[in-house]
């Protein structure tokens, strides 16, 4: 720890008071904004989830939410887990291939999703995958398919998965590639020389050696998928199960049941605990 | 397959003829797959934005035109564009003013209860925004901030601050302390050292972080939808409204406009992107 403080210790008490005040002035504004508009409302949602409209302590919000939305909860976890597995598999394969054959073009392509806003991803997938979307008209144009029997996936489960995978592939690839690039080439060369092909190198060397990074990437991606509102909002009504955040929005805006909305919020916090633990550990380490 | 090693020599195939064809085939398949997966959905947006008439099952629009693009400059869309860029600019400036000193303090000084401070700025990244922002909305109702520019700016600022503190801390941590110590030893005051030694070295990092903050604010949807409505409509919210009303062309034009700054940024700073900078972008 560098100690620049010592330089001015001799200047007496008044200057140390001034320095203390200056420090507070530098730290306070940003910290207060985050406390006031994130941590305080966060605590508010915890408390609100255990209270009725009249302010009584209760578990009825949870009873109502679990009874009404348990299918949606399972659906959300199911969608996020499938998307997560797909993202991690795709990112690992691509990162492995890029590790062996540097290819700036493919690398650039897969960085694009990082900078495309969530809402735009949702809309693009909707236009691309809708029953009468561009993918189906392209397929119909090949003449191999009957245009009216093609499935439209945009408003269904597959559309959600496609959009979540598409948006998250950029960051996951960046993280996994960082880990793969850190692997010493001599290991890979040794394995190569004893006859391992590209796929074996990825599966039996790169992935096991980077397991730490891959699980962190997995935890962060899973949390972001659970808490994502823009993509399911853009993909609209699936008619059937909904993502948790859509239910929350519905409870708040249309039923104006803040207790139920908060209970759904707390359930989503529980699903995000993995990421929270990761950040706490990160601070503990530094 | 030969046992040739070509880990860092991508363009020097050392295998036999069959191996070359095989490798070329793999590469071509990966190219086709990448282009289809990444550019497929995006090209749909481009097609729609120029389509004046497009009915199923025509493969391509029946009538092309710039009609919807010309609407960018007028009416509601121009308004949303101005609001979005204005807020993003304001958020960026506020972030620089608030975060540069804070990040410098975190990077260099012993602060009481530092782990608590670090957690305050890290934990918001871990939890979903929507349930928190719905409660922030209730607070803002009390202060009459819902539907105002101030309200939307504040809700963008929360996410932006969390993001920019971390990027700027890592910028300052990467600058060697010995440079500052040298200046202090030669008699410069701490403030002078900061402005003449540290800050100039940190400027590229601060610019990179600010560009990402700008982009975050421009793309922010959840907070804008909750706090902005009904009076303040940012670009993402405008796009959401037009897509929900099945105005495909308007939504596609807005979507493309929202993508342009990001793509420019990607081209500019491809090589400087670090994964820790980007972690906050996996949110929405």
């Amino acid at each position: 720890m560098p100690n620049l403080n010592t330089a001015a210790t001799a200047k007496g008490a008044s200057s140390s008071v001034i320095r203390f005040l200056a420090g507070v002035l530098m730290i306070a504004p940003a910290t207060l904004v985050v406390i006031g508009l994130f941590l305080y409302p966060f605590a508010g949602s915890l408390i609100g989830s255990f209270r009725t409209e009249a302010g009584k302590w209760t578990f009825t919000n949870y009873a109502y939410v679990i009874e009404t939305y348990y299918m949606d909860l399972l659906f959300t976890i199911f969608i996020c887990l499938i998307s997560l597995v797909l993202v991690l598999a795709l990112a690992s394969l691509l990162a492995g291939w890029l590790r062996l054959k540097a290819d700036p073009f493919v690398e650039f392509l897969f960085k694009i999703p990082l900078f495309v806003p969530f809402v735009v991803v949702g809309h693009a997938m909707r236009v691309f995958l809708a029953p009468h979307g561009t993918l189906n008209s392209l397929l119909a144009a090949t003449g191999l398919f009957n245009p009216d029997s093609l499935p439209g996936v945009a408003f269904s489960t597959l559309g959600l998965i496609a959009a979540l995978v598409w948006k998250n592939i950029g960051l996951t690839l960046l993280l996994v590639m960082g880990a793969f690039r850190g692997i010493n080439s001599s290991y890979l060369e040794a394995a190569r020389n004893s006859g391992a092909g590209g796929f074996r190198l990825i599966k039996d060397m790169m992935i096991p050696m980077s397991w730490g990074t891959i699980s962190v990437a997995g935890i962060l991606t899973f949390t972001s998928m659970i808490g994502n509102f823009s993509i399911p909002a853009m993909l609209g009504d699936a008619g059937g199960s909904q993502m948790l955040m859509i239910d929350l929005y519905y409870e708040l805006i249309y039923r104006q049941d803040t207790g139920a909305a908060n209970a759904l919020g707390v359930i989503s916090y529980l699903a995000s605990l993995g990421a929270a633990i990761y950040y706490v550990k990160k601070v503990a380490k530094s | 397959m030969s046992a040739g090693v070509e880990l860092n020599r991508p363009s020097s195939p050392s295998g036999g003829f069959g191996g070359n064809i095989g490798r070329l085939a793999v590469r071509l398949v990966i190219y086709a797959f990448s282009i289809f997966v990444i550019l497929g959905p995006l090209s749909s947006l481009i097609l729609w934005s120029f389509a004046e008439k497009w009915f199923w099952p025509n493969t391509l629009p029946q009538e092309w035109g710039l009609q919807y693009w010309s609407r960018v400059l007028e009416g509601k869309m121009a308004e949303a564009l101005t609001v979005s860029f204005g807020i993003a600019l304001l958020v960026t400036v506020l972030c620089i003013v608030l975060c540069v000193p804070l990040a410098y303090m975190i990077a260099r000084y012993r602060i009481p209860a530092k782990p608590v401070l670090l957690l305050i700025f890290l934990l918001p990244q871990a939890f979903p925004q929507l349930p928190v922002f719905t409660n922030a909305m209730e607070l803002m109702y009390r202060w009459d901030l819902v539907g105002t520019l101030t309200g939307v700016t504040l809700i963008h600022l929360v996410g932006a601050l969390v993001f920019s503190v971390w990027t700027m801390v890592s910028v300052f941590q990467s600058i060697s302390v010995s440079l500052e110590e040298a200046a202090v030893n030669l008699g410069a005051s701490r403030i002078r050292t900061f402005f003449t030694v540290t800050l100039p070295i940190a400027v590229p990092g601060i610019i990179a972080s600010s560009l990402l903050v700008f982009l975050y604010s421009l793309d922010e949807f959840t907070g804008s939808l909750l706090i902005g409505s009904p009076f303040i409509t940012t670009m993402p919210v405008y796009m959401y409204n037009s897509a929900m009303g099945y105005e495909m062309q308007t939504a596609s034009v807005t979507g493309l406009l929202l993508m342009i700054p990001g793509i420019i940024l990607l081209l500019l700073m491809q090589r400087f992107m670090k994964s820790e900078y980007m972690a906050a972008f996996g949110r929405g």
Side-chain angles (χ1 to χ4, degrees):
Chain A
M1 191 74 207
N3 197 351
L4 293 170
N5 291 336
T6 45
T9 36
K11 287 198 179 165
S14 70
S15 91
S16 81
V17 168
I18 289 172
R19 279 198 302 131
F20 177 76
L21 287 178
V24 168
L25 206 65
M26 285 199 253
I27 294 173
T31 315
L32 286 179
V33 171
V34 175
I35 292 177
L37 290 175
F38 202 99
L39 297 183
Y40 181 67
F42 179 85
S45 66
L46 286 179
I47 295 167
S49 72
F50 290 106
R51 291 194 139 185
T52 60
E53 291 285 315
K56 271 199 199 146
W57 296 96
T58 174
F59 283 104
T60 49
N61 294 324
Y62 286 95
Y64 163 74
V65 157
I66 287 169
E67 196 191 336
T68 318
Y69 294 117
Y70 75 96
M71 277 307 288
D72 285 4
L73 182 62
L74 293 178
F75 176 75
T76 308
I77 291 175
F78 168 76
I79 293 279
C80 294
L81 281 180
I82 293 215
S83 311
L84 179 66
V85 169
L86 287 174
V87 164
L88 289 179
L90 186 59
S92 302
L93 283 177
L94 273 170
W97 186 73
L98 287 168
R99 172 71 181 81
L100 295 172
K101 336 241 160 177
D103 190 314
F105 174 66
V106 171
E107 198 182 325
F108 176 79
L109 273 182
F110 278 93
K111 274 183 192 162
I112 292 178
L114 263 176
F115 287 106
V116 180
F118 281 91
V119 263
V120 180
V121 176
H123 176 61
M125 281 300 169
R126 197 164 106 122
V127 175
F128 188 54
L129 300 175
H132 289 179
T134 37
L135 179 61
N136 280 355
S137 42
L138 196 73
L139 288 176
T142 60
L144 300 172
F145 304 92
N146 172 12
D148 294 314
S149 68
L150 288 169
V153 291
F155 306 123
S156 68
T157 318
L158 273 175
L160 270 175
I161 294 175
L164 287 173
V165 169
W166 199 93
K167 174 63 199 177
N168 283 293
I169 188 69
L171 180 64
T172 316
L173 182 65
L174 207 62
L175 290 168
V176 175
M177 215 156 50
F180 283 6
R181 293 225 163 111
I183 296 174
N184 194 324
S185 288
S186 55
Y187 290 123
L188 299 176
E189 278 166 30
R192 233 318 137 78
N193 288 334
S194 33
F199 181 70
R200 294 256 339 249
L201 284 182
I202 298 172
K203 181 172 78 77
D204 294 335
M205 293 204 71
M206 295 188 203
I207 294 181
M209 286 175 88
S210 316
W211 197 241
T213 308
I214 294 176
S215 29
V216 167
I219 289 170
L220 298 182
T221 309
F222 183 76
T223 318
S224 122
M225 286 173 173
I226 290 270
N228 184 273
F229 172 62
S230 329
I231 284 179
M234 275 315 285
L235 285 170
D237 256 306
S241 292
Q242 289 286 356
M243 297 291 273
L244 212 53
M245 290 297 124
I246 300 294
D247 294 333
L248 199 165
Y249 188 72
Y250 173 81
E251 281 296 328
L252 187 86
I253 303 294
Y254 297 102
R255 291 197 65 242
Q256 307 203 321
D257 187 341
T258 47
N262 282 328
L264 284 170
V266 173
I267 291 173
S268 76
Y269 300 155
L270 290 177
S272 319
L273 272 183
I277 292 169
Y278 164 72
Y279 285 123
V280 170
K281 276 190 178 165
K282 192 173 160 183
V283 167
K285 248 189 262 170
S286 67
Chain B
M1 273 291 178
S2 82
V5 174
E6 48 161 286
L7 293 170
N8 294 316
R9 284 174 281 137
S11 57
S12 63
S14 50
F17 187 66
N20 282 345
I21 300 254
R23 268 180 220 148
L24 193 65
V26 168
R27 189 173 288 256
L28 284 179
V29 167
I30 291 179
Y31 271 45
F33 171 79
S34 313
I35 291 173
F36 173 74
V37 165
I38 299 295
L39 300 183
L42 299 181
S43 57
S44 311
L45 287 186
I46 299 177
L47 282 181
W48 265 111
S49 76
F50 290 110
E52 299 206 341
K53 202 170 126 199
W54 192 0
F55 290 113
W56 174 261
N58 290 285
T59 313
L60 291 171
Q62 288 126 296
E63 280 174 32
W64 301 77
L66 290 169
Q67 189 199 335
Y68 289 92
W69 279 97
S70 68
R71 292 193 189 169
V72 173
L73 300 173
E74 57 196 53
K76 287 249 163 85
M77 204 196 282
E79 203 179 296
L81 203 63
T82 323
V83 165
S84 268
F85 273 85
I87 291 177
L89 208 61
L90 188 59
V91 168
T92 310
V93 171
L94 283 171
C95 257
I96 295 174
V97 172
L98 296 178
C99 288
V100 167
L102 174 62
Y104 184 71
M105 300 257 315
I106 292 179
R108 285 284 190 269
Y109 289 93
R110 285 196 201 135
I111 306 167
K114 196 170 187 175
V116 177
L117 190 67
L118 295 180
L119 276 183
I120 289 175
F121 284 97
L122 265 180
L123 282 183
Q125 296 202 41
F127 294 109
Q129 287 184 335
L130 183 70
V132 177
F133 284 177
T134 54
N135 283 276
M137 183 171 78
E138 276 181 35
L139 285 178
M140 288 204 178
Y141 266 121
R142 264 183 253 161
W143 302 327
D144 268 336
L145 287 173
V146 175
T148 66
L149 276 178
T150 319
V152 179
T153 308
L154 276 172
I155 209 76
H156 284 197
L157 194 59
V158 183
L161 281 175
V162 167
F163 172 69
S164 93
V165 163
W166 287 105
T167 54
M168 288 195 197
V169 166
S170 74
V171 166
F172 284 121
Q173 274 170 347
S174 69
I175 297 172
S176 167
V177 192
S178 54
L179 293 171
E180 292 171 12
E181 281 168 352
V184 171
N185 287 343
L186 289 171
S189 70
R190 213 93 50 71
I191 292 174
R192 185 160 171 216
T193 307
F194 177 77
F195 280 105
T196 56
V197 177
T198 321
L199 196 57
I201 306 176
V203 161
I206 294 175
I207 290 176
S209 154
S210 307
L211 288 171
L212 292 173
V213 162
F214 185 85
L215 210 59
Y216 167 84
S217 168
L218 202 63
D219 298 349
E220 211 284 343
F221 172 68
T222 312
S224 313
L225 183 71
L226 285 173
I227 310 294
S229 60
F231 302 116
I232 304 296
T233 307
T234 62
M235 289 283 280
V237 175
Y238 182 80
M239 188 190 149
Y240 173 74
N241 291 339
S242 20
M244 291 298 114
Y246 285 94
E247 299 170 46
M248 287 308 179
Q249 288 92 334
T250 315
S252 302
V253 169
T254 321
L256 287 170
L257 283 175
L258 276 170
M259 273 177 54
I260 293 170
I263 300 290
I264 294 175
L265 206 63
L266 178 60
L267 288 169
L268 283 180
M269 36 189 287
Q270 254 244 85
R271 280 184 297 145
F272 306 105
M273 267 185 343
K274 288 189 194 163
S275 53
E276 63 264 34
Y277 284 17
M278 304 314 307
F281 260 70
R283 322 197 44 80

